[in-house]
Amino acid sequence: RHSAAAQMDSSPQAGCVLSSGGGLNLSFLREDTPGLSAGSVRIHLNAAGSSLPPRPVVSCVQKALQEEAEMGGYEFLKQPHRAAELEEVYRLCGRVVGASGSDEIALLDSATTAWSSAFWAWCTSEECVGLMRKVGRSPKTGKFGGRILASHCEYGSNAMQMLQLSRKVSDISGRDVEIVVEFLPSDSYGQVDLAALRRTLEASAGRVRGPGGES
């Protein structure tokens, strides 16, 4: 949510965003966030889908809302400079994550939509299906494919997408392909049991694959 990328590009305060060691300057960022500034000792962790906005974001939203109120929403978007502004958002997001170009960035309406889009795009791609075929056939079913390892604390909508894929993959990629979703056991703290994860991976040695190949 923060405007660090924009400030690193053009703001006279650019040097304040980064510390002398190259990391983020937390003191500056806290002071630049109204909900945390002015000596506040608040620790705000509820930022899953809507974190505390910093001053540049608040200012930008207020300015846009005022302009929209004066000319209307459709006219606001039709202004000649809007396309360049939107393109700049993609460029700056790419700069933050080290993307080679803005065409590698997708901005969507929610994390759920974004995760689902990336998940389905990869799992139904020719590359992924090709990797599943290289893994070999299951000794139980005789089909090509693999497993998706998930935890019991997986975000609900993500788990639903995994299960839906396991039911539909044969229709998408051919009836000789299958995907099995396997939920790993949890430890006494409710986290993924790392020992169980290790055993699962070791039992699948040479059969665990991703975009980078075998691992």
Side-chain angles (χ1 to χ4, degrees), residues 22-73:
L24 291 176
N25 186 334
L26 298 184
S27 297
F28 171 78
L29 294 177
R30 285 183 64 87
E31 190 60 34
D32 201 34
T33 304
L36 299 175
S37 61
S40 171
V41 294
R42 176 187 298 171
I43 298 176
H44 188 275
L45 301 178
N46 187 19
S50 182
S51 59
L52 293 174
R55 285 190 175 85
V57 172
V58 174
S59 175
C60 182
V61 171
Q62 289 175 334
K63 181 175 182 294
L65 185 60
Q66 182 61 42
E67 291 183 18
E68 184 175 334
E70 294 172 357
M71 66 181 68

Side-chain angles (χ1 to χ4, degrees), residues 3-19 23 25 28:
S3 58
Q7 292 183 0
M8 283 189 284
D9 254 28
S10 58
S11 170
Q13 294 179 310
C16 298
V17 176
L18 299 178
S19 67
N25 186 334
F28 171 78

Side-chain angles (χ1 to χ4, degrees), residues 115 119 148 150 154 158-166 181:
W115 190 93
F119 175 74
I148 296 177
E154 183 63 62
N158 293 357
M160 290 173 60
Q161 297 294 328
M162 296 175 192
L163 294 172
Q164 185 177 21
L165 175 68
S166 70
V181 180

Side-chain angles (χ1 to χ4, degrees), residues 171-193:
D171 297 329
I172 297 171
S173 306
R175 297 193 178 279
D176 61 341
V177 175
E178 69 174 359
I179 289 180
V180 176
V181 180
E182 181 177 331
F183 289 92
L184 296 166
S186 302
D187 61 18
S188 58
Y189 296 98
Q191 302 170 333
V192 173
D193 187 326

